[in-house]
Amino acid sequence: MANSTADSTLASLAAADRVNWHDHVQIALAIADQPVLKSLLTDCTPPIAQSHRIGNLRSSIGIPVAGIPAAGAADGLIEFELQHCVLADSPEVLEQDVAEYSRLKGNRRGYLDLIRCEADSQTLGQMLSLPSAISLLAEVGFSAEASRDILNLPQDGWHKSWWYQADEAEQFTVPFLRLIRCRRYPDGSLTLQYKDFFAQEPPPCFKSRSVKVLVEILPASHQFATTLAKINLARQQLGIEQALLICDQISDLETRGFISQGISIYAATEIALPVQANCLHCATAGCTMQGNPDSPVLFCRRFCLDGVTA
């Protein structure tokens, strides 16, 4: 796993008092800034999200859960914004990206192929005050100038902007056109509406969606089945799919067991965990799977890139 500020923070807290390691990690969660929380989401195995897709983060500890014995609470909760779309930076870069995307996808009509599908109109914000509308437009990425243009459009006018949504590799490479307009009402309130034009799949949201991650801290004395049951009960009661298990020490067998149940593992101290592997790009010599594009291996202790051990 990658070394990070969060690794050092949690490791130092744990080293200070092994007996109260669980409490120290909870304190780290309670006071963690965004880089620390981001590390928990990106440096776990398997990663919950890629760094460039994570927006604002926040955390809480001691989440009440009905049915959990003893303290009756889950150890923690991380909530973050998962970015699905980003505003294009400049017309020049967009021109290059559209040309490259069209070449890779075999599109012959350039922009026309990228906007052949039309989504229904959606509401970004309804019955907003002017300051709220300005704040909302800034929050989703529009510049002050673009925001003024949108808010001063004629009643039936639309503001045009190009955006990117994430591709299968979670990179923002798929361009689409977004039209946005402002409707004004006699009481002075405003409603912002938008409509998207795209090539194949419509953007799933305007920009991002909130994702919740259940956090469990593994005590020194534990049973696999009991820990798994607690996590699953909390996920069910709280309606949360993602789960993260922070551990000081854990066996390889337990690691594989938790991961197979959809739980990511984060090592608060240095432990050897299997990492996500891609045999096609692996530089480990002597392995029968090295360079195999059809390898079934998903996690491997020996996976490395360009001779640098992962």
Side-chain angles (χ1 to χ4, degrees):
M1 287 188 178
N3 291 326
S4 64
T5 302
D7 289 323
S8 301
T9 301
L10 296 183
S12 61
L13 287 168
D17 186 352
R18 292 286 176 178
V19 175
N20 294 318
W21 180 83
H22 183 283
D23 292 337
H24 282 304
V25 177
Q26 279 200 316
I27 293 172
L29 278 174
I31 66 175
D33 58 13
Q34 294 214 355
V36 174
L37 295 178
K38 182 175 287 189
S39 177
L40 293 175
L41 300 174
T42 60
D43 296 337
C44 56
T45 304
I48 292 174
Q50 292 192 15
S51 179
H52 67 278
R53 294 195 63 185
I54 297 177
N56 293 329
L57 298 112
R58 53 185 176 271
S59 64
S60 53
I61 61 174
I63 313 301
V65 178
I68 291 183
D75 287 326
L77 181 70
I78 298 175
E79 187 171 1
F80 69 98
E81 295 297 319
L82 181 64
Q83 307 281 12
H84 289 279
C85 311
V86 294
L87 189 61
D89 289 331
S90 69
E92 294 76 15
V93 174
L94 176 67
E95 290 274 358
Q96 298 174 5
D97 291 344
V98 168
E100 178 65 12
Y101 183 83
S102 298
R103 184 186 65 81
L104 292 175
K105 297 297 182 179
N107 296 338
R108 297 183 178 181
R109 300 190 304 159
Y111 284 99
L112 293 178
D113 280 337
L114 295 177
I115 59 174
R116 63 175 179 264
C117 301
E118 179 181 346
D120 294 333
S121 294
Q122 304 287 331
T123 299
L124 175 61
Q126 191 168 13
M127 307 304 288
L128 303 170
S129 65
L130 179 58
S132 296
I134 294 173
S135 176
L136 178 58
L137 289 172
E139 181 182 340
V140 298
F142 287 106
S143 66
E145 182 180 2
S147 296
R148 285 196 299 269
D149 290 343
I150 293 170
L151 295 174
N152 289 294
L153 285 169
Q155 188 71 3
D156 295 325
W158 292 85
H159 177 274
K160 181 189 298 184
S161 59
W162 282 92
W163 293 65
Y164 298 100
Q165 61 176 314
D167 58 21
E168 293 179 355
E170 297 194 55
Q171 301 299 314
F172 294 114
T173 65
V174 184
F176 67 94
L177 178 65
R178 171 165 286 163
L179 302 184
I180 185 168
R181 69 178 178 182
C182 177
R183 310 306 299 270
R184 301 176 186 83
Y185 300 97
D187 62 359
S189 63
L190 307 170
T191 291
L192 297 173
Q193 298 175 327
Y194 68 96
K195 180 182 294 188
D196 292 331
F197 296 82
F198 52 93
Q200 292 180 323
E201 295 295 327
C205 58
F206 190 89
K207 183 178 180 181
S208 63
R209 284 179 173 169
S210 178
V211 177
K212 294 181 179 179
V213 180
L214 178 74
V215 178
E216 175 72 10
I217 304 167
L218 191 66
S221 177
H222 65 274
Q223 293 183 330
F224 174 82
T226 302
T227 302
L228 180 60
K230 179 184 177 183
I231 293 174
N232 285 339
L233 177 60
R235 287 199 288 193
Q236 180 182 33
Q237 294 283 359
L238 299 174
I240 298 174
E241 181 179 351
Q242 299 275 15
L244 173 66
L245 180 63
I246 301 176
C247 58
D248 183 24
Q249 295 180 349
I250 188 174
S251 70
D252 181 66
L253 185 61
E254 285 181 305
T255 296
R256 295 200 301 268
F258 284 121
I259 290 175
S260 71
Q261 297 301 306
I263 300 168
S264 294
I265 307 294
Y266 184 93
T269 57
E270 289 294 330
I271 61 173
L273 285 175
V275 298
Q276 281 194 311
N278 186 330
C279 294
L280 177 63
H281 303 296
C282 184
T284 302
C287 177
T288 57
M289 289 294 177
Q290 195 270 333
N292 183 357
D294 299 317
S295 170
V297 177
L298 297 178
F299 299 94
C300 179
R301 290 182 180 277
R302 299 177 62 198
F303 175 66
C304 65
L305 294 170
D306 299 325
V308 180
T309 304

